[in-house]
Amino acid sequence: MSTPAASAPVRRGRMPNLELPQKAQLPVAIAFVVLLIILPFFFAPGGSVMNNLVLAAAYAVMALGLNIIVGFAGLLDLGYVAFYAIGAYAMGYGGSLFLSELTGDKGFAVFVSGPAAELPGVHMNFLLILVLAIVLTTVAGMVIGLPTLRLRGDYIAIVTLAFGEIIGRIAINGDEIRLGNFQLTAGRQGITPVDKVQLPGLERFTSLDLRAWYWLALALAVLVLLVNFRLRDSRLGRAWIALREDEVAAASMGVPLVKTKLLAYGTGAAFGGMSGAFLASYTNTVNADQFQFSFSIFILAMVILGGLASIWGVVLGAIVLSVINNYLIPDVLNSVPQRLGLDFDLTEVTAGIFGFMLVIMMVLRPEGLLPERRRKLELEEGIGSDDAVYEARMA
Amino acid sequence: MSGAVAVGARDSEPVAHEAILEARGVTKQFGGLTAVKDVYFSIPRTAIVSIIGPNGAGKTTFFNLLTGLYKPTEGAISFDGDEITGSRPDQITARGVARTFQNIRLFGTMSAVENVMVGQHARMRAGLFGSILRTPRVRREEREVREKARETLSYVGLKPQVHDQLATNLAYGDQRRVEIARALASDPKLLLLDEPTAGMNPQESDELTQFMRRLRDDRQVSILLIEHDMKVVMGVSEQITVLDHGEKISEGQPQAVRADPRVIEAYLGKQESERQH
């Protein structure tokens, strides 16, 4: 295993074991979700708290997607931002003025109402955009999966890293990639404005009332959470874990490596795309500068901080890091360096803070905040780390 | 020498249908090194046969060729009448070949039952969407597979109390058992056991020998064994193939192989055999 957590020094966590007993899990989970549903009623509908909640939920969707690739299947993906980008562009194409040169003044509206239906460009119902984002990112996930199939550990990380960078570069320079009237991206200018989410039977979302956004993001998160749980305890989930522990043994037991890995990449990518489309609409822009390597690390840090392969851990990691990134650092602690007489804002060193947190985690509790039973074993007893005897190169 | 004609356990059956697995002129080279060289080999249906040979003779490499982990440089392998040369390991497993490993390779963080459930992967049908939706068919399959895993574990002699223990926490002998159960879970027609008695005491080895016979009789599987323990090999095998430096140097029934000067030479060194000439 060459996932970051596993390559850390093997040490026992010193913090208490936070794992819940099996029987308590479902009631606690339901109570947790109910609490999350009623949460918006305690805050101003357009305030910064709601904004943070929306972002946390959207990031949780991504982290849970990445968890399938990195946590379950053990394929270290450092280019997850690519799926954010592709999902966001799906929203950009399907819900903005961006393609107006292709459609002419009439525009092309599918299941949308209100003023957007009259505008040029393509305007689709958000459900359709979600489907589009899922299809595009699943394909992209499998495309990135293909060259990594013969690779292991560190090499997978390098290829996925490069893939993330390639997509990022294409996004930045896409304004010069033209095919007739079609421009691939809007580059650094960004596609803006982007249509607000419109769902069937509901009014279009607005930026004044963030509660609708929050509930949508929460619904997506719960959906992805459910998919995570169900896949983990399925034929496919067992195959992923088998693959993560010992590819040779897994293949010899009848697990098709290529298909199983591609399913992990594809599924994980689809959730990144879903969240990407949502965030594009929510932030009202698809700007190439958003799709940086540091975003991949940001999401990966959520997975590692929470506990690789631990579903609740990943949710917790997403919430914690999202709050630190969007609230604690910019709003609360930002002026601390200046008060100490230093000439910089804390937001300028966000990446450094996350790096420092990861180091602390690796030393104190490498298995994550809410460790998964298996991962904990792998770290504490070194299971799966001794795959030195690697007999075969798999096709 | 032609190993294509099997030394039969079932003399009454026609030769063409006797072999469950057949390797014809199989060669495997790693760079300049020839690990397996032009081996003709076949396993009669429902027979127990062994491959023996000194360390580094290419036995495990040959296993890996049969199970698809390696692709032969030259030669062809057929199983149950079908060509499997160059097939992937999972495809070969799906056709009915299962194996264990020389150094136990269980999925350590999975329970014994889960390990055996992975073994049934090729016999299951649940897909991505079925698993997400957890359709009645998927639920039923999951339940059946779990039940069958427990049965198989009991069959190989694992006590029900330890079925749900993590593989890594099991005693050594139990881990060997789980590995055999995991292989059996795919309903193989041919079972390949790579040094199954390694690390066992004579009594455990005896038990395993008995178990192999019972397995063959109960389930009509053919068994191919790599083994160093000559007592086990001579006791259980109906046919023994000897590899040395990747080449087949002898084949036949235990007594014949034991008396073969080339085998003695391979095991005891050259001088011995020169004196005999």
Side-chain angles (χ1 to χ4, degrees):
Chain A
M1 289 298 110
S2 323
T3 41
S7 54
V10 176
R11 283 174 81 168
R12 260 168 196 284
R14 293 193 195 115
M15 281 154 79
N17 189 352
L18 299 172
E19 206 172 327
L20 287 169
Q22 197 75 39
K23 272 181 193 161
Q25 273 178 4
L26 189 65
V28 169
I30 291 171
F32 180 62
V33 171
V34 168
L35 176 76
L36 288 179
I37 291 173
I38 59 171
L39 208 56
F41 294 111
F42 303 109
F43 304 105
S48 74
V49 175
M50 280 314 298
N51 178 37
N52 284 318
L53 286 175
V54 174
L55 289 176
Y59 290 152
V61 173
M62 287 209 192
L64 285 168
L66 185 60
N67 184 44
I68 291 180
I69 305 174
V70 184
F72 289 171
L75 307 161
L76 179 53
D77 187 339
L78 293 183
Y80 198 65
V81 68
F83 307 129
Y84 171 31
I86 293 166
Y89 278 109
M91 183 71 217
Y93 291 157
S96 76
L97 303 173
F98 181 62
L99 295 179
S100 54
E101 284 185 32
L102 283 183
T103 60
D105 287 344
K106 291 274 284 183
F108 178 71
V110 193
F111 299 122
V112 285
S113 58
E118 312 296 322
L119 291 170
V122 181
H123 302 276
M124 300 202 292
N125 192 288
F126 187 66
L127 281 188
L128 291 176
I129 292 173
L130 271 189
V131 172
L132 179 68
I134 289 171
V135 170
L136 288 179
T137 43
T138 305
V139 171
M142 295 200 170
V143 168
I144 170 63
L146 282 172
T148 69
L149 291 172
R150 285 165 169 277
L151 307 175
R152 279 174 63 78
D154 313 353
Y155 301 99
I156 293 180
I158 292 167
V159 172
T160 52
L161 173 89
F163 180 73
E165 284 302 291
I166 290 168
I167 297 290
R169 292 292 128 184
I170 291 177
I172 287 174
N173 298 306
D175 50 351
E176 289 171 26
I177 305 173
R178 288 170 169 281
L179 196 77
N181 270 341
F182 176 69
Q183 193 184 358
L184 191 62
T185 76
R188 291 205 144 102
Q189 262 191 328
I191 301 173
T192 187
V194 179
D195 290 359
K196 301 278 174 265
V197 167
Q198 183 170 28
L199 292 172
L202 295 174
E203 278 182 38
R204 191 169 282 279
F205 291 9
T206 73
S207 47
L208 296 176
D209 185 354
L210 301 183
R211 289 183 301 194
W213 296 95
Y214 170 75
W215 282 319
L216 174 60
L218 186 64
L220 292 179
V222 169
L223 176 79
V224 178
L225 194 73
L226 210 68
V227 170
N228 259 259
F229 274 115
R230 292 212 153 164
L231 285 183
R232 187 191 64 181
D233 303 323
S234 74
R235 170 182 185 236
L236 191 56
R238 281 191 298 273
W240 282 334
I241 295 164
L243 188 96
R244 184 180 84 196
E245 285 202 26
D246 189 334
E247 275 192 15
V248 171
S252 300
M253 292 311 126
V255 174
L257 296 184
V258 170
K259 189 180 162 198
T260 308
K261 283 185 183 179
L262 286 185
L263 279 173
Y265 278 118
T267 320
F271 296 139
M274 267 169 58
S275 187
F278 173 84
L279 282 173
S281 176
Y282 180 68
T283 57
N284 199 23
T285 176
V286 186
N287 188 322
D289 282 328
Q290 296 165 305
F291 312 125
Q292 304 269 358
F293 172 60
S294 58
F295 190 86
S296 297
I297 298 303
F298 181 51
I299 302 294
L300 185 65
M302 294 172 185
V303 178
I304 294 169
L305 183 83
L308 274 161
S310 152
I311 298 171
W312 286 116
V314 168
V315 172
L316 183 68
I319 295 171
V320 168
L321 280 195
S322 170
V323 167
I324 293 176
N325 184 53
N326 299 316
Y327 175 67
L328 219 54
I329 292 178
D331 293 353
V332 181
L333 303 172
N334 197 22
S335 57
V336 168
Q338 276 166 7
R339 270 186 262 147
L340 294 173
L342 298 166
D343 186 25
F344 68 93
D345 287 345
L346 210 58
T347 46
E348 291 166 37
V349 293
T350 308
I353 294 170
F354 287 147
F356 184 66
M357 280 177 56
L358 277 185
V359 171
I360 299 282
M361 275 305 286
M362 288 303 104
V363 173
L364 291 182
R365 197 173 168 87
E367 67 270 32
L369 291 175
L370 290 175
E372 198 228 8
R373 174 177 60 111
R374 300 180 204 283
R375 277 287 180 186
K376 210 171 154 194
L377 269 169
E378 279 169 24
L379 281 170
E380 289 178 359
E381 298 178 16
I383 297 162
S385 59
D386 61 343
D387 39 2
V389 202
Y390 200 65
E391 291 173 15
R393 208 178 280 271
M394 226 66 53
Chain B
M1 87 188 81
S2 168
V5 180
V7 181
R10 300 272 140 85
D11 289 330
S12 53
E13 281 174 29
V15 173
H17 295 292
E18 272 195 342
I20 180 94
L21 180 131
E22 210 174 335
R24 296 181 301 277
V26 168
T27 297
K28 178 66 186 177
Q29 290 172 324
F30 297 103
L33 177 84
T34 306
V36 172
K37 193 174 170 190
D38 197 29
V39 171
Y40 285 82
F41 174 74
S42 77
I43 305 171
R45 211 171 271 275
T46 70
I48 301 178
V49 304
S50 298
I51 297 180
I52 62 170
N55 286 326
K59 303 183 296 288
T60 297
T61 306
F62 190 61
F63 249 44
N64 290 342
L65 287 165
L66 297 184
T67 52
L69 287 177
Y70 294 152
K71 311 221 177 313
T73 316
E74 272 170 53
I77 302 166
S78 60
F79 174 74
D80 210 8
D82 297 317
E83 224 24 56
I84 56 166
T85 322
S87 294
R88 294 196 313 265
D90 57 284
Q91 293 170 327
I92 293 176
T93 304
R95 281 177 183 274
V97 180
R99 70 171 295 174
T100 65
F101 294 91
Q102 187 177 345
N103 39 347
I104 300 173
R105 301 185 80 146
L106 287 173
F107 307 116
T109 66
M110 294 175 126
S111 72
V113 169
E114 286 170 323
N115 265 281
V116 180
M117 288 170 85
V118 173
Q120 295 182 66
H121 190 93
R123 301 284 169 255
M124 294 177 72
R125 293 168 70 195
L128 179 71
F129 295 106
S131 301
I132 292 172
L133 299 174
R134 217 168 260 181
T135 58
R137 201 174 62 77
V138 169
R139 275 169 206 264
R140 189 172 352 106
E141 181 184 71
E142 192 77 0
R143 203 169 46 238
E144 285 166 3
V145 160
R146 192 172 288 274
E147 226 158 75
K148 193 182 159 204
R150 289 187 192 283
E151 275 168 29
T152 312
L153 282 172
S154 298
Y155 180 74
V156 300
L158 201 76
K159 293 188 197 75
Q161 300 94 285
V162 295
H163 282 191
D164 290 304
Q165 270 189 25
L166 297 185
T168 182
N169 295 337
L170 293 172
Y172 181 82
D174 281 347
Q175 291 196 9
R176 286 254 174 235
R177 286 194 177 90
V178 176
E179 238 204 354
I180 293 176
R182 186 178 66 175
L184 285 177
S186 63
D187 293 328
K189 294 175 189 153
L190 172 64
L191 181 63
L192 309 183
L193 302 173
D194 196 346
E195 293 196 30
T197 66
M200 285 186 176
N201 63 35
Q203 194 209 331
E204 288 170 324
S205 297
D206 275 351
E207 282 171 18
L208 190 77
T209 310
Q210 299 297 326
F211 176 74
M212 282 191 273
R213 290 212 186 88
R214 185 158 66 93
L215 189 62
R216 188 260 305 268
D217 295 340
D218 287 357
R219 306 199 170 200
Q220 301 298 306
V221 291
S222 320
I223 297 175
L224 169 61
L225 196 65
I226 291 181
E227 191 50 72
H228 278 305
D229 186 333
M230 283 306 143
K231 187 161 169 278
V232 173
V233 172
M234 295 298 162
V236 80
S237 314
E238 285 143 24
Q239 169 197 320
I240 295 174
T241 302
V242 189
L243 291 185
D244 187 30
H245 299 296
E247 288 182 75
K248 183 162 90 172
I249 58 167
S250 178
E251 187 170 64
Q253 290 177 345
Q255 292 77 6
V257 166
R258 186 156 34 183
D260 190 331
R262 295 197 60 184
V263 178
I264 298 167
E265 179 191 309
Y267 271 92
L268 298 179
K270 204 163 177 124
Q271 273 188 333
E272 186 81 13
S273 66
E274 272 171 356
R275 235 175 272 145
Q276 288 178 352
H277 279 292

